[in-house]
Amino acid sequence: MARWDGTDTAGPRWEERPADDDARWFRTLLHLGFFLLLGSSLTRFLMRHTGEGIAPWVVSLAAVLAVLYVAEPAVAGDRVRQSAWLGACSAVWVALVFLAPSFAWCSIPLFYLGLRRLRPPAAACYIGLLTVVSVTAQLRLAGRLEFDILLGPPAVAAICVAVFVRMDRQSARQRELIADLVRTRRELAAIERREGTLAERQRLSMEIHDTLAQGLSSQQMLLQAADRTWRTDPDTAHRHVRAATAIAEHNLTEARRFVHDLAPADLAGGGGLDKALRTLARRESTDGLAVRCHVEGVPARRLPDRVQSALLRIAQGALANVREHADARTAALTLTYLDDQVVLDVADDGRGFDPAALRDGDGDGDGMRGHGLPAIRTRTRQLGGTLTVESAPGEGTVLSAAVPLDAAAPAGD
């Protein structure tokens, strides 16, 4: 899957991370607090300065500030528009504070907006500016130097910054721990698969040595003995040949048993590819992903074992990619029997990716759907088929493997 690597040539910045439940609650409370502070400041002003000529200006600026604050989602994702939006909010707030210093309390939510939208040096200057404006307006209203006004706003600003920085660092450490945990789990899974593969290779090598290799060795000895006695003792030579034939028949049985054991377990029961795909869909369906299976058409003839095995492996690999990379809620397996080919479609409603980038890198080493797609492409090509991948960022993915029946059914299969 295509992914953003977080590179920012302009330097580090405090950024809002993908929202979880706690972050959404925090933002909801922050927005609610902003409008409560704005409303209470406006109410206080109107109760004390109703007859003054600046009242219409204060009411208008408060309304403009409320509208600007609500418009925040409209500028998300565009850094220039975000900066312009924050500057407009700040300018309106400054005007409000100099007309009605009680609006200085609205600076607390603006602190968070500055910390969230600006890089650390710019955020520090921004918060310092808001604090100076608040102190200046309050001192101008009081008409004399008061230490609570001089020290209160800076103390509130320092607390807000300290809380935000602390939460941001804790969130960063938590993300690092989660990333380490996920990486460790993947490494352990890779080690387990590697160990399982080595153990299976050892088991197969022992089985082959004790059955096929020993049988071939015995056949070689019997045939050599028959060759030596073919002219002098034909009866003995014939017995040697018959014994070698019996051993060859036994070895053929053992070879077929190996092939059966190496086939996918879902096909071992003899239910065919249709049943195996439905079993796979049920097994892959969890709380986070619902997998459906649909079969269209009737096969004109039984699919060869190697075709069934390959298509089942393709479905397994595609669903593994969906679960690991697509962040999808639903997926669908569709097996279609046509006159001249069989088609397996795997569709999901995940976040999709750019197929052009996949073609450039062929999926290796860049994290786009891991190594699954190259393996699927190789399996399809070995059957003489074609693989088609249709996807776009945010629009899901459809993978289609079409295998011609004539090319997939060699003689004797």
Side-chain angles (χ1 to χ4, degrees):
M1 299 292 291
R3 64 175 188 262
W4 178 66
D5 61 2
T7 303
D8 189 350
T9 57
R13 179 178 60 162
W14 283 320
E15 293 182 352
E16 184 180 14
R17 304 299 177 179
D20 55 15
D21 292 337
D22 293 337
R24 283 192 291 268
W25 273 108
F26 177 75
R27 285 206 308 274
T28 301
L29 291 175
L30 184 71
H31 298 336
L32 179 61
F34 173 81
F35 286 108
L36 286 176
L37 290 172
L38 184 65
S40 62
S41 300
L42 182 60
T43 302
R44 182 176 184 273
F45 173 81
L46 293 177
M47 290 177 63
R48 298 189 179 189
H49 307 279
T50 305
E52 296 186 9
I54 63 171
W57 289 99
V58 172
V59 173
S60 300
L61 288 173
V64 171
L65 182 58
V67 171
L68 285 173
Y69 193 88
V70 172
E72 179 189 9
V75 301
D78 189 315
R79 189 175 304 172
V80 175
R81 288 193 298 174
Q82 286 179 357
S83 300
W85 171 82
L86 183 60
C89 288
S90 303
V92 174
W93 174 82
V94 169
L96 268 175
V97 170
F98 277 103
L99 291 176
S102 59
F103 283 92
W105 287 106
C106 296
S107 63
I108 297 177
L110 295 180
F111 289 162
Y112 174 74
L113 293 177
L115 289 167
R116 193 177 64 180
R117 300 297 183 188
L118 302 175
R119 296 179 180 86
C125 295
Y126 176 77
I127 293 173
L129 177 62
L130 296 186
T131 304
V132 170
V133 171
S134 298
V135 172
T136 302
Q138 294 284 350
L139 290 176
R140 186 171 60 87
L141 178 65
R144 64 181 183 275
L145 180 64
E146 295 184 5
F147 286 101
D148 58 337
I149 296 177
L150 188 62
L151 300 178
V156 172
I159 292 173
C160 292
V161 172
V163 170
F164 178 86
V165 172
R166 176 66 175 174
M167 292 174 58
D168 186 74
R169 290 179 178 175
Q170 286 183 337
S171 178
R173 282 196 291 268
Q174 185 179 20
R175 288 191 297 271
E176 291 176 358
L177 290 175
I178 292 175
D180 290 340
L181 177 60
V182 172
R183 184 165 53 252
T184 301
R185 290 180 60 182
R186 289 178 178 174
E187 291 174 355
L188 289 176
I191 292 173
E192 290 178 356
R193 287 195 298 268
R194 191 158 51 245
E195 290 180 349
T197 301
L198 293 176
E200 182 65 12
R201 287 178 178 176
Q202 184 177 7
R203 185 188 71 82
L204 288 176
S205 66
M206 294 174 61
E207 288 279 347
I208 293 173
H209 176 270
D210 295 339
T211 55
L212 298 181
Q214 295 288 359
L216 290 173
S217 178
S218 298
Q219 290 179 59
Q220 182 183 26
M221 294 175 59
L222 289 170
L223 292 175
Q224 288 175 347
D227 182 64
R228 289 194 300 269
T229 59
W230 191 264
R231 295 178 182 273
T232 59
D233 191 354
D235 293 337
T236 301
H238 289 160
R239 285 198 302 273
H240 291 329
V241 172
R242 287 193 294 272
T245 303
I247 293 174
E249 182 179 358
H250 177 72
N251 277 3
L252 181 60
T253 302
E254 289 291 340
R256 287 171 176 168
R257 181 179 66 84
F258 285 149
V259 172
H260 182 271
D261 291 342
L262 291 175
D266 292 332
L267 291 173
L273 181 59
D274 301 0
K275 181 179 178 181
L277 289 176
R278 291 190 176 96
T279 300
L280 175 64
R282 287 194 300 270
R283 185 170 62 247
E284 291 293 328
S285 295
T286 61
D287 293 338
L289 178 65
V291 182
R292 302 187 306 273
C293 180
H294 181 64
V295 178
E296 297 181 356
V298 178
R301 57 179 180 271
R302 181 182 179 276
L303 292 178
D305 291 341
R306 72 189 190 99
V307 176
Q308 296 188 57
S309 178
L311 290 176
L312 180 58
R313 295 301 191 198
I314 289 173
Q316 290 173 335
L319 288 180
N321 277 340
V322 171
R323 183 173 300 281
E324 183 174 357
H325 301 289
D327 193 23
R329 293 186 177 181
T330 61
L333 298 175
T334 303
L335 182 67
T336 305
Y337 293 102
L338 302 176
D339 293 337
D340 58 345
Q341 64 180 353
V342 57
V343 181
L344 174 65
D345 296 320
V346 184
D348 67 74
D349 61 353
R351 57 173 171 256
F353 63 100
D354 184 5
L358 180 66
R359 286 192 296 270
D360 294 339
D362 202 32
D364 286 327
D366 60 358
M368 291 187 299
R369 301 248 163 175
H371 299 275
L373 279 178
I376 291 174
R377 183 178 291 108
T378 299
R379 290 182 186 276
T380 307
R381 188 182 299 120
Q382 289 174 347
L383 296 176
T386 57
L387 179 69
T388 304
V389 179
E390 298 179 359
S391 183
E395 298 183 6
T397 302
V398 178
L399 180 148
S400 180
V403 178
L405 295 179
D406 294 337
D413 205 343

